[in-house]
Amino acid sequence: MGPVLNILIIEDEPAIADTLIHVLEMDGYQVRWFPTAGEGLADLKAHPPGLVVLDIGLPDANGFELCKTIREFSDVPIIFLTARNDEIDRVVGLEIGADDYVTKPFSPREMLARIKLRIKKQTPAKSMTEQAPAQVLMIDAVNHALIADNFDYHAQNQPLGLTAVEFKILDKLIQVSPRVLSREQLMIAADMAPEAVYERNIDSHIKAIRHKMKAVGQPERIQTKRGFGYYFSDKDTA
């Protein structure tokens, strides 16, 4: 896995900042938060982030002006977060260099999806030969192993034959094991557009992964936490 991406939030409402911090940290990001433009700008210069979430109505400066200042020395992705919903504000925000514009109240899931999209657009795609080595997770030092190779997981030297979506789901569950992930979190991990699919679609993908693991002699590893989601267990179940 690559380095953990840092997100900078410049927002003067603690409740909104807390919501964003919780959602982002749950997805593996490191987050720094400042309630004023001055503090946020100083931190941005000292510790360049991977993306900035910027409120327009800050107590010590206008977010538009701060965005223009940032654009004088940085092309970091900027997403405006504001209660102002006028079309002229959205146009101005994009014209001065922002990458996206989200109005309050907002959906945390939508905000996370937008952040991931902007980061993805900012990161050059790697060829298959340039990809970082896949994670290896030893399930049982003697009898069982799941090894990611050539963008598929292998069990006992047999490829599971996962689809791209199935691979992303299994990979995410293994990375955070034994933490429980909701269907929403797994949709995001698999790059499934929230507006294009139903959360229950995840159940079908989980079922397919379980079937493919069983076909190569793997014990039941993906467990259901009723009412919450799924998690990956490195212990055999009866």
Side-chain angles (χ1 to χ4, degrees):
M1 296 180 61
V4 176
L5 189 68
N6 293 303
I7 305 292
L8 173 62
I9 298 173
I10 306 177
E11 161 64 59
D12 66 333
E13 296 185 51
I16 291 177
D18 286 345
T19 298
L20 282 173
I21 291 169
H22 174 73
V23 170
L24 289 167
E25 289 185 341
M26 283 289 291
D27 207 63
Y29 295 101
Q30 290 183 350
V31 186
R32 298 192 306 278
W33 166 55
F34 297 93
T36 67
E39 292 173 299
L41 181 61
D43 185 80
L44 189 150
K45 290 180 176 179
H47 310 285
L51 182 140
V52 177
V53 177
L54 175 59
D55 187 16
I56 292 178
L58 296 167
D60 60 335
N62 182 288
F64 289 146
E65 295 303 317
L66 178 56
C67 179
K68 287 192 285 187
T69 299
I70 293 172
R71 282 290 173 258
E72 292 176 359
F73 64 89
S74 174
D75 61 355
V76 62
I78 297 175
I79 298 179
F80 274 128
L81 179 60
T82 176
R84 297 162 62 166
N85 194 28
D86 294 337
E87 181 180 1
I88 186 63
D89 286 333
R90 293 197 298 272
V91 171
V92 169
L94 296 174
E95 285 183 344
I96 63 175
D99 297 270
D100 208 344
Y101 192 106
V102 177
T103 57
K104 305 172 186 176
F106 62 94
S107 160
R109 182 175 73 179
E110 178 186 358
M111 173 59 84
L112 181 58
R114 287 175 181 263
I115 287 172
K116 292 171 76 72
L117 177 62
R118 295 301 160 188
I119 291 171
K120 190 173 183 180
K121 287 184 176 181
Q122 193 77 358
T123 305
K126 293 183 179 181
S127 68
M128 296 289 281
T129 57
E130 292 175 322
Q131 292 283 354
Q135 178 184 3
V136 176
L137 178 67
M138 298 303 295
I139 304 301
D140 181 304
V142 177
N143 300 311
H144 302 293
L146 277 184
I147 303 174
D149 180 39
N150 294 326
F151 306 96
D152 194 0
Y153 270 96
H154 290 234
Q156 298 178 341
N157 297 319
Q158 298 183 67
L160 299 185
L162 302 175
T163 66
V165 169
E166 292 165 0
F167 175 83
K168 291 175 182 177
I169 291 172
L170 178 58
D171 198 50
K172 186 66 175 181
L173 287 169
I174 289 176
Q175 288 177 28
V176 303
S177 175
R179 202 176 86 201
V180 177
L181 295 181
S182 67
R183 292 182 179 89
E184 176 183 319
Q185 289 172 316
L186 289 173
M187 286 169 63
I188 293 171
D191 294 325
M192 300 166 68
E195 67 276 7
V197 296
Y198 295 104
E199 287 189 352
R200 289 290 176 179
N201 286 10
I202 288 294
D203 297 348
S204 297
H205 292 298
I206 292 291
K207 183 178 180 180
I209 297 170
R210 284 171 167 166
H211 176 77
K212 291 174 180 180
M213 292 177 69
K214 183 178 180 180
V216 296
Q218 278 289 306
E220 189 71 66
R221 300 287 182 197
I222 300 179
Q223 305 298 318
T224 303
K225 184 73 171 178
R226 192 171 299 278
F228 293 93
Y230 297 100
Y231 66 98
F232 190 93
S233 173
D234 62 358
K235 299 178 181 179
D236 292 350
T237 58

